Amino acid sequence: MRYISTRGGINPIPFKDAVMMGLASDGGLLLPQSYPVVTREQLESWRGLSYPELAFEVISRFVDDIPAVDLKNLIKSSYATFSHPEVTPVVKRDGVYILELFHGVTLAFKDVALQFLGNLFEYILAERNQRLNIIGATSGDTGSAAIHGVRGKKGISIFILHPHGKTSAVQALQMTSVTDANVHNIAVRGTFDDCQDMVKELFGDLEFKEKYSLGAVNSINWARVLAQVVYYFYAWLRVTDETAAPVNFSVPTGNFGDIFAGYVAKKMGLPVDKLLLATNENNILTRFINKSDYSLSGVVSTVSPSMDIQIASNFERYLFHLFAENPDRVKEAFAELKEHGRVSCSADEMAQVRNDFCSASVDQDATLQEIRDFYAETGYLLDPHTAVGVKAALELLPPDSARICLATAHPAKFSETVERSLGFQVPVPDSVRELYGKPTRCEVMDADIAKVREFFVAHVG
Ligand SMILES: *Cc1c(COP(=O)(O)O)cnc(C)c1O
């Protein structure tokens, strides 16, 4: 299996190189040259597998440069950190299935990918006798999941910038309570954009980037998408254990990474009827699917902050397939976006888009209402991101189908919003309660690139 770029500018590379490259060196995103097909018979034979066993079956089809026994161990240790024996269990409530993706260490679905990526990085770096210094900016979720993915790992240091006092209390503690020597939290007196700008500036300094082997962990890494493909298979198998109804997935979407993993599963032959792309007020992808309107507008802050995104970076991967794997057409589309703030598609292309996805946008009021309604009906607590997906599923997906809603975060992670909606305190899981007693380590500094650079150089391994 070799990997190519959506922009067509690199020679095909093996899996391990794709993991280490992250963003393709021509500015595009990496994709497998072809998708392995899983037959119905094969799929049926996977019913009895545990999550790690199934993960090996799916992931190994994309990886031919890691020995099976090593890959099995990487997968096993990645999912041993989950608090639920099924890793991503499915529960049925009030006519919908909830795929609980929040049993990892930071209570959000990003752990599924970042636990695996952290182990992969450590494995490849050891083999190549290399080091990696990860630098990233976070508004909360990605940073904490990344820190937990690489804490204590050999050959890796991580520096995460977050806006001081502007993440949720739980998110801040999930980062600063990790005191391993290779983890460096920087709380910036400023905004998320200040953090992001400084990280971009460091990456833009190519000499610096080279000298210190800088790396990123954002959702453009192919290994993250790949790890997420697994739970679409897992959920499909659990739900079809009990029903013959057609299967649909509803996915609360920000950067398009999670739903693209569903698209990959479908391309591999998983019998999925519809992928429902659910957005909040930041609805460029909904406008595109429903009205052929992919035009930029400002980012709005909502109660589902991990979906407050304007340009979904992984969308380029889908466009590559939509444009019949023609990199020139992808480049054209991004040139149009840069120049005119939009992307235009033909009628045929839009018909294909609507064949692949349906979409709904759910605003804050409807999200808060759905948290209340669902709790009243079922006694089950939805986090605001999950609530967006559930509301969209109830609106758009046929009630006689198996509607699987991806639960991307634990309600306790966004307890302020859930409590605002319900009017009472939500139970605090032990893993969150324990955070409050732990020692923390964090460097608070001004939004000053010289200071950040100085700190980095002083602490780099
Ligand atoms: C990151 C995130 C999302 C969005 O996922 P994408 O892969 O970026 O589309 C949704 N919900 C939560 C809780 C998240 O952390």
Side-chain angles (χ1 to χ4, degrees), residues 151-168:
R151 67 182 297 180
K153 297 263 183 290
K154 288 193 259 329
I156 309 176
S157 291
I158 186 166
F159 296 78
I160 295 289
L161 282 66
H162 71 266
H164 187 45
K166 294 197 174 78
T167 67
S168 81

Side-chain angles (χ1 to χ4, degrees), residues 136-191:
T138 188
S139 55
D141 268 1
T142 307
S144 53
I147 284 171
H148 284 268
V150 304
R151 67 182 297 180
K153 297 263 183 290
K154 288 193 259 329
I156 309 176
S157 291
I158 186 166
F159 296 78
I160 295 289
L161 282 66
H162 71 266
H164 187 45
K166 294 197 174 78
T167 67
S168 81
V170 172
Q171 285 174 325
L173 280 173
Q174 282 178 336
M175 294 190 275
T176 59
S177 67
V178 181
T179 54
D180 299 65
N182 71 332
V183 173
H184 305 280
N185 281 290
I186 301 172
V188 174
R189 290 189 201 92
T191 63

Side-chain angles (χ1 to χ4, degrees), residues 107-110 141-142 171 219 224 228 231 251-260 285 304-307 309 312 314 383 385-386 407-410 413-414:
L107 308 178
F109 88 99
K110 291 184 173 70
D141 268 1
T142 307
Q171 285 174 325
S219 70
R224 284 185 64 178
Q228 292 169 199
Y231 52 67
V251 188
T253 295
N255 246 331
F256 202 80
D258 206 359
I259 196 161
F260 185 74
L285 293 170
S304 43
S306 300
M307 297 158 67
I309 282 164
N314 277 290
D383 107 283
H385 305 80
T386 309
T408 51
H410 191 288
K413 192 156 191 184
F414 295 93

Side-chain angles (χ1 to χ4, degrees), residues 98-234:
I98 307 284
L99 170 55
E100 294 185 340
L101 300 174
F102 51 68
H103 294 286
V105 271
T106 73
L107 308 178
F109 88 99
K110 291 184 173 70
D111 292 323
V112 176
L114 285 165
Q115 287 291 312
F116 179 59
L117 186 63
N119 285 321
L120 261 181
F121 275 152
E122 183 181 49
Y123 177 86
I124 301 171
L125 289 167
E127 201 175 64
R128 299 183 173 183
N129 200 15
Q130 289 173 349
R131 280 197 59 81
L132 178 67
N133 292 302
I134 294 168
I135 300 189
T138 188
S139 55
D141 268 1
T142 307
S144 53
I147 284 171
H148 284 268
V150 304
R151 67 182 297 180
K153 297 263 183 290
K154 288 193 259 329
I156 309 176
S157 291
I158 186 166
F159 296 78
I160 295 289
L161 282 66
H162 71 266
H164 187 45
K166 294 197 174 78
T167 67
S168 81
V170 172
Q171 285 174 325
L173 280 173
Q174 282 178 336
M175 294 190 275
T176 59
S177 67
V178 181
T179 54
D180 299 65
N182 71 332
V183 173
H184 305 280
N185 281 290
I186 301 172
V188 174
R189 290 189 201 92
T191 63
F192 169 65
D193 285 336
D194 293 331
C195 299
Q196 179 107 304
D197 288 346
M198 289 192 287
V199 169
K200 276 193 189 148
E201 201 171 324
L202 292 176
F203 274 98
D205 181 346
L206 295 182
E207 208 176 301
F208 187 80
K209 178 168 184 251
E210 189 75 14
K211 179 169 178 199
Y212 290 107
S213 318
L214 296 197
V217 280
N218 40 24
S219 70
I220 44 94
N221 198 301
W222 166 252
R224 284 185 64 178
V225 174
L226 179 55
Q228 292 169 199
V229 174
V230 176
Y231 52 67
Y232 284 90
F233 279 86
Y234 189 79

Side-chain angles (χ1 to χ4, degrees), residues 48-58 75:
L49 300 185
S50 68
Y51 190 93
E53 287 166 344
L54 180 69
F56 176 76
E57 291 301 329
V58 173
I75 290 170

